[in-house]
Amino acid sequence: MDLSQFEEAVSGLPLARTAFFESVGSTNDVVAAWAREGTSGLCLAAADEQTQGRGRSGRRWVTPPGSALAFSLLLETGPAFDASLLGRTSGLGALAACEALEALGLQAQIKWPNDVLAGGQKLCGVLPEAHWSGERLQALILGIGINVAAKSLPSPETLAFPATSVEQAAGRPVDAGALLRSVLERLLAWRLRMAEAEFLQAWEGRLAYRGQQVQLEAGEHSLQAQLLGLAADGSLKLLVDGAERAFQAGQVQLRPLVDRPGK
Ligand code: BTN
């Protein structure tokens, strides 16, 4: 994506601050710095290339130039912000991305909490980051990376989960600027509705492996369970040895029962 595609993608959207970088370390770090400077309101940073992109659990996220979408939103967190919605933030990004991919004709699904899959392969990752100053939420950041072209994929041996790109899944070229616009429109609409049951239903309805047996990994430990759905706080409900249990994002990694190597 270039600057003119970015400007077209964000034109008319209610964003307090935007920036586009040809190359940057991590767009999550850009908006975190804005928050430290006191910038408020809904802000967006995007980059064509990231040199220090990161994913969940300390993994690298590769964004080579001219091939992917990498962007971060600084969400509003004024005194009226409902902190009980924090657990729904990764769902916000994943749901918006999933719907935008559906609009391209893909059958996208969400691998809880933050991966978007097409045909069982990952093409988008979401990284929510909360920065606290004592008890006060100083910044809530939602970073989203989407593999648009095949050349955005890292080498297969570095993948922890099979990956694909939007163009491979769609079987045709895709305009990255238009896709960014489509994700942002959905994100801006859903962010106002995160407290609603309909938000949770839309997220849950797109969960991969629902009703199926999955494997959960927490550090050295691993267990098998049936994936039931989402709890109100966005945690994952599972049936473990006949008892319903809920797991928070960050506690566990989810895999389909047949193990596969994640981006
Ligand atoms: C994951 O799947 O582990 C999450 C990947 C999140 C990647 C995005 S790209 C934009 C933003 N900047 C980053 O450094 N990471 C997120």
Side-chain angles (χ1 to χ4, degrees), residues 155-168:
S155 52
E157 63 277 9
T158 63
L159 295 175
F161 195 86
T164 190
S165 65
V166 181
E167 292 190 345
Q168 286 167 295

Side-chain angles (χ1 to χ4, degrees), residues 216-257:
L216 290 185
E217 286 161 15
E220 305 281 284
H221 305 284
S222 123
L223 59 86
Q224 287 178 13
Q226 186 188 9
L227 195 153
L228 298 177
L230 293 172
D233 64 356
S235 56
L236 189 68
K237 282 195 302 193
L238 296 142
L239 196 61
V240 187
D241 296 331
E244 191 176 305
R245 290 178 59 187
F247 292 85
Q248 308 272 354
Q251 280 183 326
V252 289
Q253 305 278 345
L254 173 68
R255 304 202 155 273
L257 194 52

Side-chain angles (χ1 to χ4, degrees), residues 26-28 50 53-56 61 71 115 122 125-126 144-145:
S26 159
T27 53
N28 269 30
Q50 289 188 121
R54 58 178 178 273
R56 277 184 74 216
W61 182 267
F71 58 98
D115 293 342
K122 177 168 172 175
V126 176
I144 301 182

